[in-house]
Amino acid sequence: MRDQSLTRRFIWETRLMQASPLGVAPTSILIGSMVFATFLFSAWWNDLTLIVTPDKNPTLSPDVWTAICMSLLWGSIFGLGEYTRVANLVDLQTLRNDGVAVDAIQFDALKSGPTRATRIRAQLFGVLGGLSGIVFYNLVYRPDGEMVTLATATLTNFWFFGMTIALFVEIFRNLSYLRADTASLLRDLDHRIRIDFFHIHRLDGLGRIALRRALPWAVASAIVLLMLFAQSSPLFFGPLFGSLMVSAALVFGLPMWRVHVLIDRAKNAELARIRHDMAAARDVFNADATVASASYLSALLALEQRLEHVREWPLDFSTIVRFGFYLALPLGSWLGGALVERALNILTR
């Protein structure tokens, strides 16, 4: 009888994206827009002011800024999750075709979804995330400096409470899936990778996969940083931003470092073998300077020079450029927020 804990199924976010006829980007935009529309309804219900004028400078209210950021987070969770799954599946298949022994568990997880055991573990992480969300909400969201209670809560208060908890649940669930995905990517990597120094580019897919897995966390950190436009006390957003950036760095850096070590180790071993042969060939050439011995020694010298210039990271130029772009996302979010503020000032004059 088949072990039910190994039964694979896509999570509901993936099933929703697959069921949409619009495509990944339009669907994620639609999801974010629908989330923001629910906030606008609650704001209308409670007759909230959307644009405020502190110091006679029109700006979006803190509630609107925070709601926009939460809507962006929801759209990115769905859109980037499906984009990375599909693109990584293509790269894994390419790696297979190029002779890289891809871990079957990781391939099956992208193709058919996580196992039941993995989903249950993610649900437990989600419960922990929900509890963290409750604490975070009570520490951060204090209109007029006062904690919201059931007696004083408005529909908008309930909206922020529900969205904060739901987002923390999603973040912690994705951390759980990320942990399982990282483990399968690194599992027995030493014996699964065949390093061909004349075709080192065949390993570039590993760099693209690792970078895509870091993208959702980099985007989330940029959106969290954007939330600071709405916060008078950013104390608790610093650790959240930092943890997301650390997650992005580890997700990208750990596999890259592991592969780098493997390439560097194999390269040094091959150079040592070539230099040993060069020493023997030199002795032969010194003893009997024939055309054959000279040609062999020249070939070893050329091979050594070629091997010394082989790169030791599975990263092509486009991946490096995208990595720099990801690092600039938080700065871009701040510039975007400043542009929105500037545009609002112009439009409301």
Side-chain angles (χ1 to χ4, degrees):
M1 185 175 179
R2 186 179 180 182
D3 188 354
Q4 293 297 315
S5 65
L6 300 179
T7 303
R8 295 189 176 278
R9 188 182 68 192
F10 286 122
I11 58 177
W12 70 273
E13 295 93 337
T14 303
R15 296 199 302 272
L16 177 62
M17 294 298 294
Q18 290 176 336
S20 172
L22 302 178
V24 174
T27 302
S28 60
I29 293 173
L30 178 62
I31 290 171
S33 301
M34 291 176 63
V35 171
F36 188 65
T38 61
F39 165 76
L40 291 178
F41 174 80
S42 68
W44 169 80
W45 184 269
N46 295 136
D47 195 24
L48 294 182
T49 301
L50 301 183
I51 299 178
V52 295
T53 55
D55 301 325
K56 298 182 180 180
N57 291 319
T59 184
L60 296 176
S61 71
D63 286 346
V64 175
W65 264 120
T66 306
I68 289 174
C69 294
M70 287 183 165
S71 302
L72 290 173
L73 278 172
W74 278 113
S76 65
I77 286 172
F78 283 85
L80 293 177
E82 181 63 7
Y83 160 72
T84 56
R85 185 190 71 82
V86 173
N88 286 350
L89 188 59
V90 172
D91 269 328
L92 282 178
Q93 185 60 61
T94 302
L95 287 169
R96 269 186 170 182
N97 296 338
D98 288 339
V100 178
V102 174
D103 185 75
I105 295 176
Q106 184 186 26
F107 190 84
D108 292 342
L110 291 174
K111 187 177 181 180
S112 305
T115 61
R116 184 171 182 269
T118 303
R119 297 195 303 271
I120 291 175
R121 189 184 306 114
Q123 290 172 359
L124 296 176
F125 268 73
V127 172
L128 181 60
L131 296 176
S132 301
I134 293 174
V135 174
F136 187 84
Y137 175 86
N138 287 319
L139 291 175
V140 172
Y141 192 76
R142 293 170 178 254
D144 302 321
E146 300 293 333
M147 182 181 292
V148 177
T149 65
L150 288 176
T152 61
T154 65
L155 182 60
T156 307
N157 298 144
F158 283 115
W159 188 91
F160 279 111
F161 181 72
M163 285 297 166
T164 300
I165 294 175
L167 283 171
F168 268 81
V169 168
E170 283 295 304
I171 289 173
F172 274 67
R173 285 177 67 245
N174 278 280
L175 278 173
S176 177
Y177 289 125
L178 179 63
R179 175 179 172 272
D181 188 44
T182 302
S184 62
L185 181 64
L186 297 178
R187 184 182 295 113
D188 201 27
L189 198 61
D190 305 46
H191 301 96
R192 289 193 290 109
I193 290 183
R194 182 175 61 85
I195 298 173
D196 184 348
F197 295 111
F198 293 99
H199 300 91
I200 203 71
H201 64 276
R202 291 178 177 174
L203 299 178
D204 289 346
L206 293 172
R208 292 192 295 270
I209 290 172
L211 189 62
R212 286 194 206 99
R213 291 164 67 245
L215 177 60
W217 303 100
V219 171
S221 67
I223 295 173
V224 167
L225 195 62
L226 187 61
M227 283 186 180
L228 293 178
F229 273 90
Q231 302 301 321
S232 57
S233 177
L235 175 63
F236 299 100
F237 282 84
L240 180 58
F241 169 77
S243 63
L244 290 171
M245 286 298 290
V246 168
S247 297
L250 291 177
V251 165
F252 175 67
L254 287 179
M256 290 302 92
W257 179 256
R258 182 74 172 273
V259 178
H260 163 70
V261 169
L262 294 177
I263 296 175
D264 183 64
R265 186 186 303 161
K267 179 178 176 179
N268 289 333
E270 185 68 10
L271 282 171
R273 186 189 66 78
I274 291 174
R275 286 164 182 163
H276 179 271
D277 291 346
M278 286 172 58
R282 181 193 59 196
D283 294 339
V284 172
F285 177 77
N286 290 336
D288 184 12
T290 63
V291 174
S293 62
S295 298
Y296 182 56
L297 183 57
S298 298
L300 288 175
L301 287 169
L303 184 59
E304 179 195 34
Q305 186 176 16
R306 170 71 182 274
L307 190 57
E308 284 181 336
H309 288 87
V310 170
R311 55 187 169 93
E312 300 170 2
W313 295 89
L315 300 169
D316 56 14
F317 180 73
S318 63
T319 303
I320 295 173
V321 171
R322 285 197 294 268
F323 178 64
F325 172 74
Y326 293 173
L327 292 179
L329 281 175
L331 176 61
S333 71
W334 268 77
L335 292 177
L339 289 175
V340 170
E341 293 279 299
R342 180 60 179 166
L344 193 61
N345 285 333
I346 294 174
L347 293 174
T348 54
R349 281 180 179 174

